Amino acid sequence: MRISNVILVGVLLLVLSSGCAKAMDPAYPTSTYPSPITTEPSPPTETPQPAATETPLPTPSPTPYQPFEAVVKIDDLLLRSGPGFLNEASQTYTEGETVQVLGRAPGWSWVYVQTSDDLLGWMKLELLDIKGNIYDAPEVIPDGFVIIKGHMYTPNGNPASHITLTLTPAGGAPADEDAATTDVLGRFYFFLPEGSEGEWTLEAGGYSCESNAVNAACSLIGVFPPPQEIDLNESADIWINLQMTSN
């Protein structure tokens, strides 16, 4: 019985010593843990996407201007070197002759034409039978002139069309007088010969039944403003706004 107990104790000691040896063996695997996080993680990097590009729309090509005809309405219509009665005349044309309209001066007064004998110059708009839309013709402002321009307005402030104004030098005769007519924007332009100077009088004195400043009976609605005195010695490019008043 004593021998059995001794054997049992020896077996237990052997088992215990074997387990301790396994626990102390450095080759025995041990549990591992991730390192602690000590910095803020960087956000994920986005892959740059190519920027969207718009396909440019084609630019429409302007339609080239096609000159149209105008027919002379009176005998001995003068072709002038500039858009105004005070500019030099170079040739006369008879009623029924045709010209090509190449452009127009601002306002409703003069057109730039090419004649049948290939001369270039200016003719009075009202003395031509225009065979097209005059506003289709390109606007031409010639160089080398003393320009007086402005607007005429109705009593309620709208542009007054087809109003005729005259411009006369101080002490001048009727032959020294120039005339201009307002367009649908109420604009008028005078192109005086280069070197024109002194005092001039600007006055509204006529209208046509096409004007928006008349009633159905072709009577003027309102009263023209008083004449304006202009001194060309102060400026060679003058702008004047005029307004009619109520009756």
Side-chain angles (χ1 to χ4, degrees), residues 52-74:
T53 57
E54 295 183 0
T55 302
L57 297 176
T59 302
S61 300
T63 302
Y65 170 67
Q66 296 295 327
F68 51 83
E69 284 189 350
V71 180
V72 175
K73 294 165 63 174
I74 64 170

Side-chain angles (χ1 to χ4, degrees), residues 1 6 30 32 42-43 53 56 61 80 82 116 146 150 179 191 203 205-206 214 241:
M1 189 67 177
V6 171
T30 60
T32 58
S42 300
T53 57
S61 300
R80 296 184 179 274
S116 57
V146 176
F191 295 88
E203 184 174 8
V214 302
N241 286 329

Side-chain angles (χ1 to χ4, degrees), residues 15-37:
V15 170
L16 290 174
S17 64
S18 176
C20 290
K22 182 181 288 189
M24 298 299 293
D25 188 352
Y28 189 81
T30 60
S31 300
T32 58
Y33 298 92
S35 302
I37 297 174

Side-chain angles (χ1 to χ4, degrees), residues 58 84 98 112 126 129 133 150 160 183 194 204 223 228 235 237:
T98 61
Y112 187 56
E126 292 91 335
D129 182 10
N133 185 346
D183 60 14
E194 190 172 19
V223 177
Q228 304 288 313
S235 175
D237 192 358

Side-chain angles (χ1 to χ4, degrees), residues 4-239:
S4 299
N5 288 338
V6 171
I7 293 172
L8 179 59
V9 170
V11 171
L12 289 174
L13 290 174
L14 181 61
V15 170
L16 290 174
S17 64
S18 176
C20 290
K22 182 181 288 189
M24 298 299 293
D25 188 352
Y28 189 81
T30 60
S31 300
T32 58
Y33 298 92
S35 302
I37 297 174
T38 58
T39 59
E40 184 72 14
S42 300
T45 303
E46 294 184 0
T47 302
Q49 300 296 321
T53 57
E54 295 183 0
T55 302
L57 297 176
T59 302
S61 300
T63 302
Y65 170 67
Q66 296 295 327
F68 51 83
E69 284 189 350
V71 180
V72 175
K73 294 165 63 174
I74 64 170
D75 283 333
D76 298 327
L77 178 60
L78 294 171
L79 180 73
R80 296 184 179 274
S81 60
F85 287 122
L86 302 183
N87 293 301
E88 183 180 355
S90 59
Q91 187 61 277
T92 60
Y93 294 85
T94 60
E95 182 179 0
E97 290 194 63
T98 61
V99 296
Q100 295 291 313
V101 176
L102 305 181
R104 60 185 175 87
W108 186 263
S109 295
W110 296 88
V111 289
Y112 187 56
V113 301
Q114 182 176 19
T115 64
S116 57
D117 51 350
D118 291 329
L119 295 180
L120 298 174
W122 296 85
M123 287 183 171
K124 194 72 173 78
L125 173 62
E126 292 91 335
L127 303 180
L128 294 170
D129 182 10
I130 302 294
K131 299 300 183 181
N133 185 346
I134 188 61
Y135 287 106
D136 287 342
E139 192 169 274
V140 178
I141 300 179
D143 295 325
F145 295 89
V146 176
I147 300 175
I148 298 173
K149 57 185 179 291
H151 282 93
M152 173 69 77
Y153 295 99
T154 64
N156 60 7
N158 291 324
S161 66
H162 298 282
I163 303 297
T164 299
L165 300 98
T166 58
L167 187 65
T168 309
D176 300 323
E177 181 180 276
D178 202 358
T181 304
T182 59
D183 60 14
V184 294
L185 300 177
R187 300 181 303 169
F188 61 86
Y189 273 72
F190 291 91
F191 295 88
L192 302 181
E194 190 172 19
S196 297
E197 58 184 8
E199 295 183 350
W200 297 65
T201 300
L202 175 66
E203 184 174 8
Y207 62 90
S208 78
C209 294
E210 299 175 73
S211 174
N212 64 329
V214 302
N215 58 23
C218 196
S219 297
L220 190 66
I221 303 172
V223 177
F224 286 139
Q228 304 288 313
E229 300 301 322
I230 299 172
D231 189 351
L232 294 185
N233 296 322
E234 297 179 357
S235 175
D237 192 358
I238 297 174
W239 184 280

